[in-house]
Amino acid sequence: MDLITSAVVAAIGHGAPGHAPEAVASHYERLKQAIARFDGAAAILAAIAALEAEPANTQLQLALSAALSGAKVPDDMGTLFAAQGLLDALQRPFSQAPDVEAVPAPADKGAVVSNYAVVKVYFATDRQRDVGKPPAQRFSGERNIKSGNGPLSYGSCDISIPRDHRMGQLESPSLWRLEFRDDPAKHVVLLSAEVQDRANFFAALKTQIRASAGKSAFVFVHGYNVSFEDAARRTGQMAYDLGFDGAPVFYSWPSRGEVAGYTIDENNIEWSTPHLTDFLADFLASTEAAQVYLVGHSMGSRGLARAVADLLAAQPQLAQKITEIILSAPDIDAAIFKHDIAPKLAGARNPVTLYASSQDLALAASKTVHGYARAGDSGAGMLIVAGVETIDATGVDTSFMKHAYFAEKRSALSDMFYLIRNHARADQRFLDPVDTVAGRYWTFKP
């Protein structure tokens, strides 16, 4: 049963709509209002009404689930948040259940503008800093080798999210729409990038982490061909779409941000990996976060996986603070990952989650360059390793290079939502198992 149907059935079982506690009834109505926005809402609401009359009828439950699926309601994060909010209200003691909005809030909860939200994200980077440049150009694609205080700079960024933002999209100006400049009301925009010293950076992080319900944070490590600006924008978009209640952080290594810069980027991620390892150790020791989620994409997964492996070997108790390791489209030699890296990750708290695809053009190009399969390949080369939950994300991507499915398609983001929000393993999410001679992997339900 999907999350929305489960929430409806549970609420009816507690007396909704007319005899439920006030908090449950309020969340139940919000969920129905969220559903009412969809084409086909009349049929869905009729199915809910039928369930209200016969709550134990499993055929009616299946009919509701089918109606929701047909209207693509489970693909909408706002509705999923409303359903999760209802379930949260049902799980709390009714006398203490506060009446709260079950919608994704920006990380900086006070920063709300009428036609866009503002999400505060934190960063550490070993890019060269260009003093006096505007926020989008504050850090270049060069290595920071000039600083006498070490390679790392710290700080925070404010990211705008338009009110009509579509989940998974990184809205940008389009010449086709005659848009020639950033508009926070229409686009995901890097509004500011403020540099802080280490002490103030970690003090701000501690404050935001302590204020979150789960004392949580995530650290995102971007991939090849990504500028500092786009890394910041992507982090804000992910935090907003995941409704993340905690501190969103990104580590930005000196990618050139150019398609032709692949070889330079490869050298730079190798140069950055020791700095990333040191930052993660400092982060885990200094923030008091109880839930830490690490997300690596593409070439960034190469640095992240090696950094975590080194931490597990050198400081296993510290590394045990890491809750989840998520590697999406990892541009890592498959044999090296299987034999050298994955065994070192076996000491992690939970299995590693790896999203792969057989239609990833960037990984195909990398395979051509290196002559060997990548860990992010699926199809005949699907990587199945003990301690790794591999998910075939083939066919769920909308981007031109088919290389950003982790953040640009609803099903992948929805899967990450359940993984992070509910700590649900692959067999507890909306995935189908595929058993092979080599072992089991997972695919998205059609």
Side-chain angles (χ1 to χ4, degrees):
M1 191 184 301
D2 65 88
L3 178 71
I4 299 171
T5 302
S6 298
V8 170
V9 171
I12 293 172
H14 282 80
H19 303 286
E22 182 179 352
V24 172
S26 176
H27 281 281
Y28 184 68
E29 287 306 312
R30 287 182 190 138
L31 177 56
K32 291 203 289 188
Q33 290 169 11
I35 291 171
R37 298 181 290 110
F38 288 83
D39 294 336
I44 299 171
L45 294 174
I48 292 175
L51 258 181
E52 289 173 351
E54 297 183 64
N57 189 320
T58 56
Q59 292 302 314
L60 292 179
Q61 294 174 10
L62 291 172
L64 173 58
S65 184
L68 289 165
S69 178
K72 300 187 183 307
V73 178
D75 285 345
D76 178 68
M77 277 313 222
T79 311
L80 288 174
F81 286 128
Q84 186 65 55
L86 174 55
L87 289 172
D88 289 347
L90 286 163
Q91 292 170 1
R92 290 192 294 265
F94 294 137
S95 62
Q96 300 175 17
D99 187 16
V100 298
E101 281 290 334
V103 297
D108 183 359
K109 297 177 176 59
V112 179
V113 185
S114 60
N115 52 2
Y116 63 92
V118 177
V119 177
K120 182 174 290 295
V121 302
Y122 298 86
F123 69 84
T125 182
D126 51 8
R127 293 175 182 264
Q128 182 176 302
R129 180 182 171 194
D130 289 335
V131 179
K133 291 288 185 69
Q137 302 168 27
R138 188 72 36 90
F139 294 95
S140 73
E142 298 293 335
R143 301 174 179 180
N144 182 22
I145 57 177
K146 298 179 180 179
S147 174
N149 298 318
L152 290 184
S153 298
Y154 306 91
S156 63
C157 301
D158 285 339
I159 311 296
S160 68
I161 308 290
R163 285 300 179 195
D164 61 353
H165 165 72
R166 300 187 67 177
M167 194 272 285
Q169 297 301 307
L170 198 63
E171 290 91 351
S172 303
S174 169
L175 293 178
W176 296 106
R177 296 191 298 268
L178 300 179
E179 296 172 341
F180 303 105
R181 60 190 304 173
D182 290 328
D183 181 351
K186 297 179 181 179
H187 311 130
V188 178
V189 180
L190 171 57
L191 300 174
S192 67
E194 302 299 329
V195 177
Q196 300 170 292
D197 61 33
R198 180 195 169 280
N200 287 328
F201 170 77
F202 279 112
L205 269 181
K206 278 185 179 180
T207 299
Q208 184 153 331
I209 290 170
R210 286 173 178 168
S212 67
K215 293 182 171 52
S216 58
F218 77 73
V219 179
F220 170 55
V221 184
H222 62 78
Y224 145 73
N225 186 26
V226 175
S227 66
F228 176 87
E229 176 188 13
D230 284 342
R233 294 171 63 232
R234 178 65 78 191
T235 306
Q237 172 249 314
M238 289 172 59
Y240 187 87
D241 285 351
L242 291 171
F244 190 74
D245 180 27
V249 183
F250 68 100
Y251 185 94
S252 190
W253 53 278
S255 166
R256 283 295 175 90
E258 300 171 353
V259 173
Y262 185 89
T263 303
I264 297 173
D265 279 11
E266 272 203 314
N267 287 328
N268 282 347
I269 190 62
E270 294 294 331
W271 176 81
S272 288
T273 298
H275 311 152
L276 173 58
T277 305
D278 291 343
F279 170 72
L280 289 177
D282 200 7
F283 179 89
L284 293 169
S286 303
T287 60
E288 301 175 5
Q291 307 290 336
V292 179
Y293 307 89
L294 305 182
V295 183
H297 178 233
S298 176
M299 199 178 285
S301 292
R302 193 183 305 182
L304 179 62
R306 288 174 176 167
V308 175
D310 288 345
L311 274 179
L312 282 163
Q315 303 183 67
Q317 288 187 322
L318 189 62
Q320 281 298 308
K321 293 186 177 183
I322 300 169
T323 308
E324 296 286 348
I325 305 166
I326 301 170
L327 307 177
S328 185
D331 185 2
I332 308 172
D333 184 289
I336 292 174
F337 181 83
K338 182 174 183 178
H339 297 292
D340 297 340
I341 298 176
K344 295 178 181 178
L345 300 179
R349 277 169 60 178
N350 292 308
V352 175
T353 296
L354 189 156
Y355 292 98
S357 174
S358 61
Q359 297 177 336
D360 192 304
L361 302 184
L363 287 184
S366 178
K367 182 178 179 180
T368 300
V369 170
H370 295 97
Y372 295 98
R374 317 315 288 165
D377 293 338
S378 64
M382 177 76 72
L383 194 65
I384 301 175
V385 187
V388 177
E389 292 183 337
T390 301
I391 300 167
D392 187 355
T394 301
V396 302
D397 175 54
T398 58
S399 65
F400 176 73
M401 289 293 286
K402 299 189 182 299
H403 192 56
Y405 43 79
F406 80 104
E408 290 192 353
K409 187 62 178 178
R410 293 181 179 183
S411 55
L413 262 182
S414 297
D415 189 62
M416 286 178 62
F417 169 81
Y418 294 119
L419 174 62
I420 292 174
R421 179 71 177 260
N422 297 342
H423 300 149
R425 301 262 47 98
D427 61 351
Q428 300 169 317
R429 308 198 299 272
F430 300 105
L431 301 168
D432 285 328
V434 179
D435 290 311
T436 70
V437 174
R440 170 174 288 186
Y441 68 92
W442 303 85
T443 62
F444 289 99
K445 289 182 181 292

